[in-house]
Amino acid sequence: MSTGRDREPRLDAAEANDAIRRFVAGRTVWTPADLVELDRLRAEWREARRGCTAAA
């Protein structure tokens, strides 16, 4: 069974960063669902950064 940690990131770090920027742009109200999505995007970004570091 996979834990998700052994998968390749779906986005590279720059793409993940752009996704976060698009998601937060202009937002003033954060619902619990929005915060969950932000956390998911940040996890994706962190995973992509780990991939960049490992590949270097």
Side-chain angles (χ1 to χ4, degrees):
M1 175 186 278
S2 174
T3 62
R5 290 182 177 229
D6 55 350
R7 67 172 174 76
E8 289 295 315
R10 289 177 282 187
L11 302 173
D12 70 24
E15 291 170 332
N17 190 42
D18 288 343
I20 292 169
R21 288 178 184 271
R22 284 190 307 272
F23 186 73
V24 302
R27 236 175 242 280
T28 58
V29 176
W30 293 87
T31 67
D34 292 336
L35 295 173
V36 168
E37 177 63 6
L38 179 59
D39 189 49
R40 186 194 68 76
L41 291 169
R42 291 176 68 204
E44 191 76 29
W45 176 80
R46 285 191 301 271
E47 188 65 28
R49 292 287 299 162
R50 282 188 201 104
C52 289
T53 303

